[in-house]
Amino acid sequence: MELSVGTKLHGFAVQKITPLPDIEATAYEMIHEASGAKLFYLSSKDDNKVFTIGFRTPSQDDTGVAHITEHSVLCGSRKYRLKEPFVELVKGSLNTFLNAMTYTDKTVYPVASRNAKDFRNLVDVYLDAVFYPLIGENPFTLRQEGWHYELGKEGDKPLLYNGVVYNEMKGVYSSPDAIEEHEVMKALFPDSPYRFESGGLPSAIPQLTQEGFVAFHKRYYSLENAYIYLYGDVDIADWLDYMDREYLSRFPKTGTLKVEIPLQAPFDQTREVKASYPVPEGDDTAKKTYLSMNIVVGSALDQKRIMALKLLTHVLLDGNNAPLRLALLRAGIGSDVSGSLNGSQLQPVFSVEVSGSDPDKEDQFVKVLYRTLQDLSRNGIPRRLLEAELNSEEFKMREADFNIYPKGLIYGLNVMETWLYGGDPTTCLRFTDCLDFLRSAIDKGYYEQLIESVLLDNTHKCLVTLTPEPGKEARDAEQFAQAMAEKKSQMDADQLKEVEAIADELHARQAAPDTPEALASIPLLQRSDITRKNDFEHPQVTEAGDHTHLVLHQFTNKIAYFDWCFDLTGLPEDKLCYAYLLTDVLGKVDTDDYSYEELTTLADLYLGGLNFEMKPYSRYNDTNTYRNMFKVSAKVLEKNEDKLFDILSSIALRSHVEDKKRLKEIISEVKTDWDNNFFARGMTVATLRLMS
């Protein structure tokens, strides 16, 4: 159906239409006039359809109510009165994604499927869950997903806390990374909801009451606070009718709800934080300190600047030639250096972290950090580093290959990073303009100016020193046990019996099967709902002498993909191991034209990927008939195809494979890699043995 600005359909009004040629889609921004719900529809030919409903959920304390609510709404609803509807739903679903996520200031519920009926089933269960959960009528939901009392089974039956989120966050906060991140957010945002742990602090989770839990859902899970994202090849008129009829029209807006995420005012000077994390008593604490500098870098609504800062983060801190990383490592400040830019909140944070350090290295860390940034700001960032990283970013954007995740899902999560704060939701989907800006900025000193103004002169930052504290975990456990013993001593016999009765009933409910009637309510796919047609696309086949060419025309967003397969039929079996070794050697030895270091730089500058592998190909109808192939795969922006063939011809025809010294280094690296990662690759090893 054709939609235009001003069109009103099934309660929705179209407010804005934006063509998005970069992703071969069109964006429609709509408002549901009766409820106030906002809808962003991304029309695309992609049959991997995605639906997400999100809410602004800024925290007001550390009880983790947003996280607990995310878990709890999925524990049964008005239409689907099961303990875990989604566990049953996935048994008869072809979903390509099904999950829910709590961020620092929002909660989102995305689902995806290529099957139209399955997609509708998933969305209906989700919408019923978020708007009609059983959390009000069933207090055991909070007890299960949040927290409840229990009495231990040993000794004098100590009073304990239990609960899904409570135990999950205890695990999270056993990590130094989580402790450091919480200290950073508290220091940088003392007057903002970001100072609270949206996942919940184990010490604070038991402060959440049933009344506060239900009130949080009632306030924030309102359609006036809802952001609905719909992507893919769908019948939009049918979907608007369904959402209006089944859910949205039942919640008229009040006009009184306004969920704000206030900006934190900047500081006059850097704040310093000292904190500790637990290590066992008697452990050596040398080289176990974490040092980090964390800087608030503006607003997520300034997408071009945020994109430039992401680029700068990679250039400065990722890879073996990253100047800031190298400077910190060479100064001996720590054993590893990492960096990040958290852009999933209104005020993003740039962080530099050194691990494997000591407390007395703090001053040196700051000096080397500032000296290196000042040098780069004054003398310039190596152009090739910026160009290589920009090439990599352009590839990621144009290719939209997110591994197992549907691209429509990632588009939607990215859209939320501006839309949720009142910004333009299409900014992240119009990346050619952004790339042109980022590329032109290289010659204008823009990145050097960012270093000076955002990273050096900006005083809205904090320096965190996180040191190991031997015995801290045991002392904390002892204090907790004493506090719980005191709490238990204040309970009379009837109260303790009630604790046991509630815990017993909760366990009984968890163990009890769902009723047949409840199970029957879950919409499952039937065989008749699944097409038997295979979506196979036939390539054009041409012959050129002894070579067969297969060409498949697709929208690839200016990226060319190449595969070459060299038949190894006739190669003796005892030589196959050398063909396999060759996959590790090519591109890692010098050629007549380039050193192997120069080859790495050229690949970063011009290619999106170059891969060599040994691969057996079997006949489609007979797995016992196969041929071993030496496969070369490459991908490159169309404008850089000549660079690809220059690099490939040099590698294929002029590599110094006779360089014994370099071969020994490569073989040693391969062996060390396998030695170090053998146990982590247990599944890979077993799978390879089975496949062989």
Side-chain angles (χ1 to χ4, degrees):
M1 177 182 178
E2 287 291 329
L3 297 174
S4 57
V5 174
T7 297
K8 294 192 176 184
L9 185 64
H10 303 300
F12 288 87
V14 179
Q15 296 180 310
K16 187 178 179 182
I17 301 175
T18 308
L20 299 168
D22 287 337
I23 61 169
E24 213 177 20
T26 302
Y28 298 86
E29 296 173 53
M30 307 184 198
I31 187 79
H32 187 259
E33 294 181 313
S35 67
K38 291 163 280 293
L39 172 69
F40 184 82
Y41 164 48
L42 201 52
S43 175
S44 164
K45 294 178 181 177
D46 192 350
D47 70 344
N48 201 351
K49 297 168 281 292
V50 180
F51 174 91
T52 302
I53 185 163
F55 305 92
R56 286 185 182 179
T57 52
S59 298
Q60 302 302 316
D61 53 40
D62 289 316
T63 61
V65 60
H67 187 190
I68 295 169
T69 303
E70 175 226 305
H71 279 241
S72 299
V73 300
L74 305 179
C75 294
S77 65
R78 171 196 61 169
K79 289 165 65 174
Y80 308 109
R81 304 180 74 84
L82 290 81
K83 292 181 297 180
E84 296 179 296
F86 290 93
V87 172
E88 297 302 321
L89 182 64
V90 296
K91 293 177 182 178
S93 168
L94 293 173
N95 74 84
T96 53
F97 189 84
L98 177 68
N99 210 337
M101 293 89 88
T102 302
Y103 293 80
T104 54
D105 55 15
K106 59 182 173 286
T107 308
V108 296
Y109 296 86
V111 292
S113 180
R114 297 181 65 191
N115 182 285
K117 185 173 181 180
D118 184 41
F119 186 53
R120 178 63 62 88
N121 292 345
L122 294 167
V123 172
D124 195 67
V125 175
Y126 254 35
L127 286 177
D128 207 67
V130 298
F131 291 123
Y132 296 103
L134 303 181
I135 59 175
E137 66 180 72
N138 180 11
F140 284 91
T141 304
L142 174 59
R143 292 165 180 161
Q144 172 179 285
E145 299 301 321
W147 73 279
H148 64 276
Y149 288 122
E150 283 193 11
L151 294 177
K153 303 299 181 185
E154 299 176 358
D156 60 351
K157 293 187 174 182
L159 188 66
L160 306 170
Y161 292 129
N162 205 346
V164 174
V165 170
Y166 176 79
N167 290 326
E168 179 186 333
M169 296 310 294
K170 278 182 68 178
V172 167
Y173 273 87
S174 66
S175 161
D177 292 330
I179 296 170
E180 182 185 38
E181 183 180 349
H182 183 55
E183 293 294 339
V184 168
M185 297 299 279
K186 281 197 303 181
L188 289 178
F189 301 102
D191 309 309
S192 158
Y194 293 143
R195 72 186 184 275
F196 299 117
E197 172 54 78
S198 61
L201 288 179
S203 60
I205 288 172
Q207 298 169 17
L208 180 61
T209 65
Q210 173 70 12
E211 293 74 24
F213 173 49
V214 173
F216 180 89
H217 176 270
K218 183 178 181 181
R219 172 173 171 78
Y220 291 109
Y221 281 58
S222 161
L223 278 164
E224 291 175 84
N225 186 39
Y227 297 80
I228 301 171
Y229 168 83
L230 185 62
Y231 166 88
D233 185 9
V234 302
D235 181 343
I236 187 60
D238 177 59
W239 272 92
L240 297 180
D241 175 49
Y242 156 73
M243 288 189 287
D244 172 66
R245 173 171 33 85
E246 294 293 329
Y247 293 98
L248 276 59
S249 62
R250 304 182 184 192
F251 296 93
K253 63 183 177 184
T254 63
T256 59
L257 180 63
K258 196 171 184 181
V259 180
E260 296 286 355
I261 301 169
L263 288 172
Q264 173 65 51
F267 307 152
D268 293 331
Q269 61 183 15
T270 302
R271 299 195 173 182
E272 296 188 20
V273 176
K274 311 288 185 186
S276 65
Y277 69 95
V279 294
E281 191 72 63
D283 264 23
D284 183 8
T285 61
K287 300 190 183 306
K288 291 184 178 178
T289 291
Y290 294 78
L291 302 170
S292 70
M293 182 66 77
N294 310 274
I295 309 169
V296 178
V297 293
S299 168
L301 299 181
D302 188 350
Q303 276 289 291
K304 284 185 178 178
R305 186 161 86 153
I306 295 303
M307 187 64 215
L309 285 165
K310 286 181 181 177
L311 189 74
L312 200 54
T313 305
H314 294 308
V315 167
L316 295 175
L317 292 156
D318 288 353
N320 295 325
N321 54 356
L324 182 53
R325 181 175 185 273
L326 280 175
L328 291 166
L329 287 174
R330 287 170 177 167
I333 294 168
S335 59
D336 194 22
V337 177
S338 60
S340 64
L341 181 72
N342 176 10
S344 296
Q345 57 189 49
L346 179 56
Q347 292 178 279
V349 176
F350 170 87
S351 299
V352 182
E353 182 190 89
V354 175
S355 58
S357 188
D358 291 299
D360 60 2
K361 299 285 181 66
E362 180 188 291
D363 288 343
Q364 190 184 6
F365 166 63
V366 175
K367 287 177 183 176
V368 173
L369 174 69
Y370 284 163
R371 186 172 63 240
T372 306
L373 291 176
Q374 285 166 352
D375 180 63
L376 290 166
S377 173
R378 291 168 183 165
N379 301 318
I381 303 166
R383 182 185 179 91
R384 278 200 161 188
L385 293 181
L386 289 168
E387 289 178 337
E389 186 55 42
L390 191 54
N391 176 69
S392 175
E393 286 300 314
E394 180 170 5
F395 241 96
K396 292 173 188 174
M397 291 177 176
R398 293 199 182 281
E399 188 170 34
D401 182 359
F402 304 106
N403 201 356
I404 63 173
Y405 301 111
K407 62 183 179 183
L409 168 74
I410 305 302
Y411 290 156
L413 295 178
N414 290 341
V415 159
M416 291 284 180
E417 292 184 5
T418 50
W419 189 31
L420 194 87
Y421 310 121
D424 183 352
T426 67
T427 302
C428 62
L429 306 175
R430 294 182 282 111
F431 50 76
T432 294
D433 290 346
C434 187
L435 289 167
D436 290 343
F437 166 77
L438 295 174
R439 188 164 280 109
S440 67
I442 294 176
D443 294 321
K444 298 175 181 176
Y446 178 73
Y447 299 96
E448 289 79 6
Q449 291 169 18
L450 277 182
I451 290 177
E452 186 172 345
S453 62
V454 178
L455 303 186
L456 289 171
D457 295 343
N458 178 6
T459 53
H460 194 172
K461 60 181 72 168
C462 71
L463 171 65
V464 175
T465 303
L466 186 70
T467 55
E469 184 179 335
K472 176 178 169 60
E473 185 173 12
R475 288 191 293 274
D476 289 347
E478 184 178 350
Q479 290 176 5
F480 174 77
Q482 290 174 354
M484 295 303 284
E486 184 177 347
K487 193 179 290 286
K488 181 182 177 184
S489 69
Q490 296 170 354
M491 295 181 176
D492 58 29
D494 288 341
Q495 289 173 315
L496 291 174
K497 282 183 181 179
E498 184 181 11
V499 166
E500 286 192 290
I502 288 173
D504 288 345
E505 184 175 350
L506 175 59
H507 296 155
R509 283 170 175 259
Q510 291 169 331
D514 290 307
T515 66
E517 294 79 14
L519 289 170
S521 70
I522 292 293
L524 302 178
L525 288 178
Q526 306 299 315
R527 284 189 179 184
S528 58
D529 299 320
I530 304 171
T531 179
R532 297 179 64 88
K533 179 178 175 292
N534 187 12
D535 296 328
F536 184 79
E537 299 188 49
H538 297 275
Q540 294 177 359
V541 181
T542 58
E543 303 290 341
D546 295 333
H547 303 287
T548 301
H549 293 176
L550 301 119
V551 179
L552 187 62
H553 292 285
Q554 290 284 320
F555 172 76
T556 61
N557 218 344
K558 300 182 181 179
I559 297 174
Y561 296 84
F562 297 91
D563 290 317
W564 293 270
C565 292
F566 299 89
D567 193 346
L568 297 182
T569 300
L571 185 71
E573 189 172 337
D574 63 345
K575 297 291 192 295
L576 286 174
C577 59
Y578 297 107
Y580 187 85
L581 178 60
L582 189 61
T583 66
D584 280 309
V585 170
L586 291 178
K588 296 178 184 175
V589 295
D590 294 347
T591 72
D592 291 347
D593 315 289
Y594 310 107
S595 68
Y596 68 87
E597 293 97 338
E598 288 173 326
L599 283 174
T600 300
T601 302
L602 288 170
D604 289 341
L605 274 171
Y606 299 118
L607 309 185
L610 179 59
N611 187 50
F612 305 95
E613 64 177 326
M614 276 276 292
K615 194 167 185 179
Y617 282 88
S618 62
R619 292 181 62 86
Y620 74 94
N621 58 356
D622 179 9
T623 55
N624 291 315
T625 301
Y626 67 93
R627 291 185 292 174
N628 285 314
M629 295 285 185
F630 190 96
K631 185 177 180 182
V632 182
S633 301
K635 49 189 177 182
V636 61
L637 290 171
E638 291 172 352
K639 65 184 180 184
N640 291 331
E641 282 185 23
D642 59 331
K643 303 291 187 183
L644 168 64
F645 287 101
D646 176 53
I647 294 168
L648 273 178
S649 61
S650 186
I651 291 173
L653 304 176
R654 296 181 289 280
S655 284
H656 296 175
V657 292
E658 74 286 351
D659 183 346
K660 292 182 180 180
K661 180 176 181 295
R662 180 58 186 152
L663 282 176
K664 187 174 181 180
E665 291 173 353
I666 294 170
I667 292 169
S668 177
E669 288 172 6
V670 172
K671 181 181 183 302
T672 301
D673 181 54
W674 271 99
D675 288 346
N676 291 341
N677 295 289
F678 186 83
F679 290 104
R681 291 175 175 169
M683 181 66 75
T684 302
V685 174
T687 302
L688 288 172
R689 293 301 301 152
L690 286 168
M691 289 174 66
S692 70

